[in-house]
Amino acid sequence: MALARVRARPKPKGSRYVWPVAFVLAFVGLIGLSSLSAVLGVATGLTFVEKMESELPSVAGFEQLDFAEPSVIYDRTGTIELARFQVERRRVVEYDDIPKVLLDATIAVEDRSFWSNEGYDPNGIAAAAVESVTGVRDRGASTITQQFVRARLLPQDVLEGDLWTRKIKEILQARNLTRAYPGEEGKQRILTAYLNQIYYGHQAYGVAAAAEVYFGITDLKLLTPSQAAVLAGLPQAPDTYDLYKWAKRDSLGRLYVPTISLAGEQLPPPIERRNFILGALEEGNGNFIRLTKAQLDQSLREPVVLNEPEPVVFKAPHFVWYMKSQLDQILADRAPAERGGYKVITSIDMHAQELAEKYVSAGTILTNMPPGQMNAAIEAEGLQADREWISNLHGMDIHNGALVAMDARTGQILAHVGSAGYYRDDLASGTLDPKFDVAGRGYRQPGSAWKPLVYAAGFDTGEITPGTLLLDVTTEFSRGWVPRDADLKERGPVLVRDALTYSLNIPVIRALDRVGVDTVAALASQMGLTFARGDRHLAQAGLAGAIGTAETNMVELTSAYGALANRGLQYEPQAILEIRDRDENVVPLPATAPRQVVSEQAAWLTTDILKDSTDPLVNTVFGPRLQVVNESTDPLLPDGVRRYAAAKTGTTNDLRDLSVYGYLAPPADPNAPHVVASVWIGNSDHSPPLAGGERVPILAADGPGRIWSAYLRELSKDWPNAPFPSPPQGIAAATIDLWSGGGPGPWTRETRVEYFIEGTQPGGSRQVDPNGLLYRQMCGRWFVDVAKVEQDAPERWVLADLDWMDRARRGAGRRGEHNSSTARLFGRQDWGGFIAPIDCSLAPTPAPLPPSSPGPTAPPLPEPTPGPTVPPAALTVPAARTTRATRAMRGRRL
């Protein structure tokens, strides 16, 4: 078999004779050829060389130069690789890791005099001169040492300067390096550095990366002579000798490069070069290895089978890019991740992550498949237990979703899904942007999921309690702004517990008026919440901010819920657990301390209300949808075991954003994760759900709520069940009037036990809720008078209250001017008594009083303290509480 010579690329015109002359001049200056030096002028030549040499950097410590190495990102166990960040794919190896056949193959083709030359090769310079004339070469023009110097030990201005100056300085520096590191050991160190530096194509820098890319080999000593020769031939022209460019597939589907020339066909260039190198090894041009004739023949016949090129696929890709922003900040004064060779242990739990991806897909991608494909996918992915809710979402035209799970005790992110499918570019459209991270980068309206923060702020400041009376009466709060409840009903007097449990919009707006917009904005800032339109966005939203109109970030709001779950103590969202540099030194992480963003008591009260939303026996609306039920093998529990959990849904105007935020009860094991999770579904272009072109009513509990409960069900199925903790110190229980809050009195028809921050309960030193606030004594009896609740409020509010009373006297279902109608609270038969009549002649005949009851939402925790004895003075009902907002608005007509 003839070995073809390898032709070099033609040189640009004009450089044909300059190069060899420059090389000869440089060489003459180096060896001190007296006759030619005399002709040229010895003093001038040496001065010229000395000047050039003085401009070169020192070669001392060349091995301390950092090679660019990829940073590898792992899950929390440190065993599952998520991603690599690299500008150069590289794995640095030691001299002893490199097989002799690979050393000889490289030297045979690049620099046959390597072991004996002074860093430059006079014969190589001559060969370059010949090449400039003939255009043909069969060996490298520069030595291995020169190539390494050019890559690592020449200043950038030299590399970018004129060619002949660079070449002379390259030769000088190669000589300097060889003299600084003499002998065989020095040569070994230079050769090792070269083999770790050189580019082999396909982003593979260094021979170790090249062996892995092309052959899937991580131990270089497993390379065959044929494979070693292939690799040795690549650096001279990685594009020309690109193996994948010449690859074909065999009958088994493997990628291979043909090594046998068929009739009329020329061998692929990388195979010709391999054969040339193998021939050189057989001729004994190496330092260590000489192939026998039989070994040569075997190597020439050996097929070149390639490793299948692997697409760059990250695990938990949205999380990886979210984590990268934290990583870049930590490494700001160090080598960047793309070059530093770090090992990064992240917080992600791959089991939690895979479940998150599965259930987001179930609620978004599967629901947009044709029915037959959807059912097949349900079977294939083991979603039989979720078939009903998945089917109910079918055709809703909701295409995108996101999920975040954290450990409330540490802030560590356990799962992070930023879209319905990062790699589902086949589904990309206006409604689904696969690459955009809604969870980590996006801002969406939280809707009603914002309400717990309003109430928690009010509990903490003592402006409201779970027993505070608020009015669910449709009101024009400002000119043209008339918010309503989602079902367009007005339930009149409700207490805070019921208002939050059933996610009523109008009461929370009234609560924000009492608590103060600035107070809630301050809490949001303390919790690290940011907004789409800047820090003032929430304040600018005014009372509308109570119902979640200010767009915020999902990861941040999940962290805020983590504070409610964790006794008011909040940890920063954490994506990175450990970083080690290439020398296994630990890189310090920023010190972060948890913040007490709300009091333990306020957090406990908020949780005590939110937990009812997952209990079907307490909350008949959301409980059946949000309950987290683990399967049970106990015959006495055929329906499974309901896990203790707390949750709040969020549905925005026009259903453009549907979300749920919540958490499981803290596990008894202090080292186990205390999971807080959130789910969002919607469309990337903010379009509302549609079905057949029609707007579709959908509750957040039926969309993200189902994903949330199914996800936590599967995540926790093998965990011990734990209840929520008993009230902390500083919580007091008291018996209150079921309708008006405050202490019971002669107006009382029913009572229940409620919990308060100590001192704010009826009879406490800082009692918040007036006794009998809802009732007015007239006609010898007590009647419900909702206008009395807000008698100091703006006139427009009072007029709305009077209008509601007028309609309520005629019963439920009476529609008002804003298209909402009177209704009774879930499970109630009236509004706490008869609505106050216009005059006594119209007063209805009283019915027998029902027995007192704890009510459906009574907290089943410790025995409450008895309600306070109502003093005679309490029979004179105090006026409504005057807040900062109402004082400021008093006398104004809105």
Side-chain angles (χ1 to χ4, degrees):
M1 179 183 297
L3 297 178
R5 286 185 171 183
V6 181
R7 291 185 175 270
R9 299 174 185 173
K11 296 294 177 183
K13 291 181 180 180
S15 65
R16 185 171 184 180
Y17 300 108
V18 173
W19 280 33
V21 170
F23 294 163
V24 169
L25 286 174
F27 178 60
V28 167
L30 287 170
I31 63 173
L33 186 62
S34 57
S35 58
L36 189 56
S37 295
V39 174
L40 295 176
V42 175
T44 302
L46 291 178
T47 300
F48 176 75
V49 171
E50 288 171 359
K51 180 178 183 300
M52 286 216 172
E53 190 163 17
S54 69
E55 296 170 347
L56 293 172
S58 170
V59 298
F62 84 97
E63 291 170 301
Q64 277 66 57
L65 294 172
D66 289 334
F67 290 108
E69 292 186 67
S71 291
V72 185
I73 315 303
Y74 293 93
D75 74 328
R76 66 187 300 110
T77 69
T79 61
I80 300 175
E81 182 178 320
L82 305 181
R84 287 175 181 249
F85 294 124
Q86 57 192 17
V87 289
E88 303 173 0
R89 181 169 179 172
R90 188 194 310 274
R91 180 167 60 86
V92 176
V93 292
E94 301 295 332
Y95 178 80
D96 291 339
D97 298 326
I98 305 169
K100 297 297 189 288
V101 66
L102 182 55
L103 296 173
D104 276 359
T106 301
I107 289 167
V109 72
E110 293 292 344
D111 183 5
R112 293 183 184 178
S113 67
F114 171 77
W115 293 103
S116 59
N117 66 40
E118 285 289 312
Y120 59 91
D121 181 9
N123 293 329
I125 295 174
V130 172
E131 175 201 350
S132 69
V133 176
T134 65
V136 178
R137 67 176 176 181
D138 61 1
R139 56 174 298 175
S142 298
T143 65
I144 283 175
T145 311
Q146 286 176 251
Q147 292 178 56
F148 178 75
V149 161
R150 184 164 60 243
R152 302 288 291 178
L153 294 174
L154 288 181
Q156 191 63 31
D157 62 328
V158 173
L159 296 174
E160 295 173 354
D162 61 276
L163 179 61
W164 73 274
T165 299
R166 175 176 68 78
K167 272 296 179 182
I168 293 176
K169 288 189 174 183
E170 177 185 301
I171 293 170
L172 288 169
Q173 192 74 318
R175 182 203 62 182
N176 293 342
L177 180 61
T178 303
R179 290 179 178 178
Y181 295 89
E184 184 173 350
E185 182 183 352
K187 287 290 187 179
Q188 291 176 2
R189 293 161 73 175
I190 293 170
L191 183 56
T192 303
Y194 168 82
L195 288 172
N196 280 317
Q197 167 65 38
I198 203 70
Y199 181 54
Y200 287 82
H202 284 272
Q203 295 303 308
Y205 286 80
V207 70
E212 189 171 356
V213 166
Y214 294 111
F215 302 122
I217 292 174
T218 56
D219 183 352
L220 294 179
K221 293 180 179 178
L222 298 178
L223 290 169
T224 66
S226 170
Q227 291 171 328
V230 168
L231 293 179
L234 294 176
Q236 188 181 93
D239 292 334
T240 301
Y241 301 127
D242 183 353
L243 294 166
Y244 290 107
K245 183 187 298 185
W246 302 95
K248 299 180 179 181
R249 290 201 180 272
D250 62 15
S251 59
L252 300 177
R254 299 178 303 176
L255 278 174
Y256 77 102
V257 182
T259 57
I260 299 176
S261 177
L262 301 177
E265 288 188 4
Q266 186 175 356
L267 284 175
I271 300 305
E272 287 189 338
R273 189 159 176 80
R274 179 203 71 162
N275 295 350
F276 169 79
I277 295 169
L278 288 172
L281 293 179
E282 191 264 343
E283 293 170 3
N285 289 315
N287 193 56
F288 304 103
I289 300 295
R290 180 167 186 170
L291 298 181
T292 66
K293 185 65 169 65
Q295 289 171 328
L296 173 64
D297 292 341
Q298 180 182 348
S299 297
L300 293 173
R301 290 194 304 270
E302 182 180 310
V304 176
V305 179
L306 301 180
N307 190 40
E308 197 73 32
E310 299 178 2
V312 177
V313 177
F314 290 175
K315 292 182 172 68
H318 284 116
F319 168 79
V320 166
W321 290 116
Y322 175 85
M323 178 277 311
K324 179 65 159 49
S325 62
Q326 292 188 11
L327 183 62
D328 288 343
Q329 291 178 12
I330 295 169
L331 301 177
D333 59 350
R334 296 171 175 266
E338 290 79 5
R339 303 181 61 85
Y342 301 99
K343 178 180 180 180
V344 182
I345 308 298
T346 70
S347 62
I348 209 75
D349 181 313
M350 280 310 296
H351 174 61
Q353 177 69 20
E354 289 165 357
L355 285 177
E357 293 172 359
K358 172 182 174 179
Y359 280 103
V360 169
S361 175
T364 54
I365 293 178
L366 269 64
T367 55
N368 287 288
M369 292 178 174
Q373 292 183 22
M374 180 186 72
N375 287 322
I378 288 173
E379 293 293 328
E381 297 180 24
L383 292 165
Q384 292 85 346
D386 303 290
R387 184 185 302 276
E388 182 179 357
W389 67 261
I390 294 173
S391 299
N392 289 339
L393 290 175
H394 185 263
M396 288 287 187
D397 199 30
I398 297 174
H399 298 267
N400 203 1
L403 188 153
V404 175
M406 290 183 183
D407 181 356
R409 288 171 167 167
T410 62
Q412 294 172 11
I413 298 173
L414 305 175
H416 179 129
V417 177
S419 77
Y422 184 91
Y423 292 108
R424 293 306 304 267
D425 291 330
D426 58 314
L427 300 178
S429 67
T431 55
L432 172 58
D433 181 350
K435 296 296 187 287
F436 183 73
D437 180 6
V438 175
R441 306 296 180 198
Y443 285 83
R444 291 280 181 158
Q445 290 186 358
S448 295
W450 185 258
K451 294 173 183 174
L453 302 191
V454 176
Y455 289 118
F459 298 157
D460 227 3
T461 58
E463 294 289 345
I464 58 175
T465 74
T468 295
L469 174 60
L470 301 169
L471 295 185
D472 186 24
V473 173
T474 302
T475 303
E476 187 176 14
F477 289 101
S478 61
R479 194 171 300 280
W481 184 53
V482 188
R484 292 165 294 178
D485 290 332
D487 58 3
L488 301 179
K489 294 181 179 179
E490 304 167 86
R491 293 166 180 84
V494 296
L495 302 187
V496 161
R497 177 178 289 273
D498 301 312
L500 179 53
T501 293
Y502 293 108
S503 193
L504 303 179
N505 290 338
I506 302 170
V508 76
I509 296 169
R510 285 175 155 87
L512 180 58
D513 177 64
R514 293 187 62 168
V515 174
V517 173
D518 289 343
T519 299
V520 176
L523 174 60
S525 176
Q526 178 72 2
M527 287 179 157
L529 293 165
T530 59
F531 300 93
R533 285 177 275 172
D535 294 342
R536 296 292 299 162
H537 188 179
L538 187 60
Q540 292 164 355
L543 293 183
I547 53 177
T549 59
E551 297 97 336
T552 192
N553 176 262
M554 189 171 171
V555 169
E556 293 173 358
L557 188 53
T558 306
S559 175
Y561 268 75
L564 298 178
N566 191 41
R567 310 182 312 281
L569 199 61
Q570 184 182 17
Y571 288 81
E572 291 283 349
Q574 184 181 4
I576 299 171
L577 303 185
E578 182 183 86
I579 305 172
R580 289 185 179 270
D581 64 20
R582 68 182 75 194
D583 297 320
E584 286 296 307
N585 298 313
V586 175
V587 177
L589 299 179
T592 57
R595 305 184 302 273
Q596 193 75 44
V597 292
V598 294
S599 69
E600 183 177 3
Q601 293 75 24
W604 185 89
L605 289 175
T606 308
T607 296
D608 190 58
I609 298 172
L610 295 180
K611 69 179 176 56
D612 291 345
S613 295
T614 68
D615 187 347
L617 298 179
V618 176
N619 189 324
T620 58
V621 177
F622 299 115
R625 296 169 167 88
L626 297 177
Q627 61 179 334
V628 179
V629 180
N630 298 133
E631 293 182 4
S632 172
T633 57
D634 188 341
L636 298 178
L637 299 168
D639 296 327
V641 178
R642 186 177 67 82
R643 188 169 287 276
Y644 297 92
K648 184 67 195 75
T649 58
T651 305
T652 64
N653 191 37
D654 293 330
L655 309 178
R656 296 176 190 274
D657 295 293
L658 303 168
S659 59
V660 63
Y661 291 77
Y663 39 92
L664 298 176
D669 181 356
N671 297 314
H674 182 188
V675 176
V676 53
S678 60
V679 177
W680 167 88
I681 64 171
N683 289 321
S684 295
D685 58 6
H686 294 267
S687 58
L690 298 171
E694 298 292 330
R695 284 277 303 280
V696 179
I698 178 175
L699 291 172
D702 286 322
R706 298 290 192 173
I707 298 172
W708 181 87
S709 62
Y711 173 71
L712 290 179
R713 178 197 73 212
E714 290 303 298
L715 184 64
S716 66
K717 67 180 181 179
D718 297 323
W719 299 353
N721 198 5
F724 282 103
S726 300
Q729 288 186 346
I731 291 290
T735 300
I736 65 171
D737 183 272
L738 181 63
W739 295 94
S740 63
W747 51 80
T748 297
R749 297 159 55 88
E750 297 177 80
T751 62
R752 79 173 175 203
V753 174
E754 189 53 84
Y755 289 92
F756 301 84
I757 293 179
E758 194 165 19
T760 64
Q761 75 274 21
S765 61
R766 296 176 288 119
Q767 179 174 344
V768 173
D769 307 310
N771 299 333
L773 179 59
L774 179 63
Y775 295 94
R776 181 181 298 280
Q777 190 175 28
M778 59 185 298
C779 311
R781 289 167 39 214
W782 293 94
F783 289 91
V784 171
D785 182 0
V786 299
K788 183 172 165 294
V789 177
E790 296 181 329
Q791 62 187 22
D792 289 332
E795 181 181 358
R796 191 168 292 173
W797 295 26
V798 177
L799 292 175
D801 297 341
L802 293 172
D803 176 68
W804 181 88
M805 288 177 63
D806 181 60
R807 288 181 286 126
R809 288 189 195 97
R810 291 176 278 142
R814 303 299 176 174
R815 193 173 301 278
E817 64 173 314
H818 300 299
N819 198 36
S820 54
S821 56
T822 56
R824 298 184 181 93
L825 192 65
F826 303 100
R828 306 286 175 83
Q829 300 303 313
D830 58 24
W831 291 285
F834 292 112
I835 305 298
I838 297 173
D839 62 62
C840 290
S841 65
L842 301 175
T845 303
L849 291 177
S852 294
S853 70
T857 58
L861 290 174
E863 288 296 324
T865 57
T869 302
V870 181
L875 298 180
T876 302
V877 182
R881 181 182 178 87
T882 301
T883 68
R884 288 169 294 177
T886 55
R887 282 196 299 270
M889 299 175 72
R890 183 179 295 158
R892 294 173 55 193
R893 295 181 61 86
L894 296 181

